[in-house]
Amino acid sequence: MVRLAAASLAGTAIEFYDFFVYGTAAALVLGPLFFPTFSALAGTLAAFGTFGVGFLARPLGSVVFGHIGDRYGRRPVMFASLTLTGLATVAVGCVPAYATIGVAAPALLLLLRFLQGLGLGGEWGGAVLLTAEHAPAHRRALWASFPQIGPSTGFLLANGVVLALSAGLTDAEFRDWGWRVPFWGAGLLALTGLLLRTSLAETPQFREMGEPARLPVLEVARGHWRLVLLTAGALAIGYAVFYTVSTWSLAYATERLGVDRTVMLVCIMAAVAVMGVLTPFAALLGDRYGRRPLCLAGCAATVGWMFPMVALLGTAEPLLMFAGFLGAMLAFILMFAVIAAYLPELYEPRVRCTGAAVGYNLGGVLGGALTPIVATALSRGDGTPWGVAGYLTGIGLLSLGCFALLPETRPAAVAEPGPGAEPEAAPA
């Protein structure tokens, strides 16, 4: 389990590094370089628009790679998705700016961002099922939480590279070529991840499954459509909060509040680092008390924290901004630490890779794709952007209602083992 968890964490970290480095670049430099004919605000909106395309591609990726995972195994998904995302990310770093090739520059950027999202849409399902289907039932949330540390690790890695470049280069050097270096580094990371995954075995539940579904996406659409919509709605607030903190706040504070880019990156990275460290501890609570109660608590905490978070951001004081971000990330991880166990348990094995991944990535479309764009538009006026807090609170209430309609799946909730007894295996 340690080897499986490490390989899954490394893979998701690399995939999310690729995804997040684009978001950071969109917040800092892509607008002027690829949309120079736009105003500063319109250029930022356009850059965030290409950022959102990656989210729109993720459900399609979950269908394509989910089909592979449900018919041919979870293992092939982990190789194909990592290769696609790595190649697309390296290519982003090679695209000439608008000044060199004109409108072809943003068009290529859009295409490569789409391919990034396609690969990431398949990565999550393969990595999560590899650990969840190998793990003992009574510790499934714990082991399945390791791929969930991947996004935090990838974010820290992406922003750490950007922070180092930002500190070591002048603004002109960073805008000229420095922003490309993190994208080129994705190639080496992808090769490392592929090497780590070569020795992984297929999951027991897939090997014992019997006849696979011919068209998993059709079975999910016919028999589990309500479940997919509920999970997508439930996860929307997590995506919205994470990308508000990691992407929109970076652009807002540097452009509107005059906060130094390095200061903002440190504040955000510190909050995400704490979140990553606490992820397995939150997952242990999910094994003890259940998946649904933890998700409800995290969602309710998120709803209550959005106005304080925006108020703290508006102060432009580093420690206060960090406190606002940290509160949001702690509420976020109460939900997302157990999601890697919760979503697979909601589906039968023959359609699990497709169903869990589609619900997870549709949540990204609802909560992540539009949030930086909407938040940028809502924060156009002077003063504290209370509209952003209201928008996030509304999404949080929607997600809270969806979580309330989902069932509990923790195996021990079905039958708690007696003293000294072995925990009961999870139902198929």
Side-chain angles (χ1 to χ4, degrees):
M1 286 308 307
V2 171
R3 183 169 55 86
L4 287 167
S8 294
L9 190 160
T12 53
I14 293 164
E15 292 262 19
F16 277 94
Y17 165 89
D18 296 350
F19 206 71
F20 289 143
V21 78
Y22 189 100
T24 304
L28 296 177
V29 298
L30 294 188
L33 290 176
F34 288 87
F35 305 95
T37 59
F38 293 10
S39 68
L41 175 62
T44 300
L45 286 170
F48 281 151
T50 61
F51 174 77
V53 166
F55 283 99
L56 296 178
R58 283 171 63 170
L60 179 59
S62 65
V63 170
V64 173
F65 289 102
H67 180 88
I68 296 171
D70 284 326
R71 283 196 60 80
Y72 305 108
R74 319 321 190 188
R75 193 171 175 270
V77 172
M78 300 181 71
F79 289 93
S81 61
L82 184 56
T83 301
L84 175 60
T85 308
L87 290 174
T89 306
V90 172
V92 169
C94 300
V95 176
Y98 184 94
T100 305
I101 59 172
V103 295
L108 285 171
L109 202 64
L110 200 68
L111 172 63
L112 293 171
R113 181 59 175 173
F114 181 86
L115 293 176
Q116 266 193 329
L118 202 68
L120 189 59
E123 166 65 23
W124 186 85
V128 162
L129 292 191
L130 193 78
T131 49
E133 291 187 345
H134 273 101
H138 68 297
R139 284 290 178 263
R140 184 174 294 131
L142 172 63
W143 288 113
S145 73
F146 282 88
Q148 294 298 85
I149 304 174
S152 303
T153 308
F155 178 85
L156 292 172
L157 187 59
N159 284 274
V161 172
V162 172
L163 181 62
L165 289 166
S166 179
L169 300 175
T170 65
D171 277 348
E173 289 171 333
F174 185 78
R175 290 177 181 273
D176 183 33
W177 58 268
W179 69 271
R180 297 179 183 273
V181 174
F183 291 93
W184 296 335
L188 181 60
L189 291 174
L191 286 175
T192 304
L194 290 171
L195 288 174
L196 285 171
R197 291 179 167 185
T198 53
S199 62
L200 299 181
E202 188 52 79
T203 70
Q205 290 190 32
F206 179 80
R207 293 198 306 266
E208 299 164 4
M209 189 174 67
E211 183 66 24
R214 283 184 59 83
L215 287 172
V217 68
L218 289 184
E219 288 198 23
V220 170
R222 289 171 182 165
H224 304 282
W225 62 269
R226 182 176 179 272
L227 191 55
V228 169
L229 293 179
L230 282 176
T231 52
L235 298 180
I237 183 57
Y239 280 103
V241 168
F242 189 89
Y243 286 101
T244 295
V245 170
S246 65
T247 302
W248 169 78
S249 67
L250 179 60
Y252 176 78
T254 54
E255 294 173 7
R256 300 288 301 280
L257 302 180
V259 180
D260 182 74
R261 179 172 61 211
T262 301
V263 171
M264 277 305 297
L265 285 171
V266 169
C267 288
I268 297 168
M269 289 171 62
V272 173
V274 175
M275 179 191 78
V277 170
L278 294 180
T279 298
F281 297 99
L284 279 172
L285 294 176
D287 277 326
R288 178 66 182 87
Y289 299 106
R291 290 55 159 133
R292 184 171 170 269
L294 222 63
C295 289
L296 288 170
C299 196
T302 303
V303 170
W305 188 246
M306 290 303 93
F307 277 91
M309 183 192 77
V310 169
L312 292 168
L313 172 63
T315 67
E317 292 291 333
L319 286 177
L320 294 179
M321 290 191 297
F322 165 71
F325 297 153
L326 180 61
M329 291 297 94
L330 293 180
F332 165 86
I333 206 55
L334 277 180
M335 295 178 281
F336 273 60
V338 297
I339 286 300
Y342 195 14
L343 263 62
E345 288 170 347
L346 289 167
Y347 295 90
E348 56 187 308
R350 59 187 276 115
V351 296
R352 181 173 288 161
C353 195
T354 300
V358 169
Y360 185 84
N361 288 296
L362 277 178
V365 174
L366 294 176
L370 293 177
T371 292
I373 300 172
V374 173
T376 300
L378 290 174
S379 58
R380 292 177 63 180
D382 295 329
T384 306
W386 298 118
V388 175
Y391 170 75
L392 294 172
T393 300
I395 296 178
L397 291 172
L398 168 68
S399 294
L400 193 62
C402 291
F403 273 127
L405 294 173
L406 288 171
E408 177 57 74
T409 62
R410 181 173 63 106
V414 179
E416 291 282 354
E422 288 295 319
E424 182 178 313

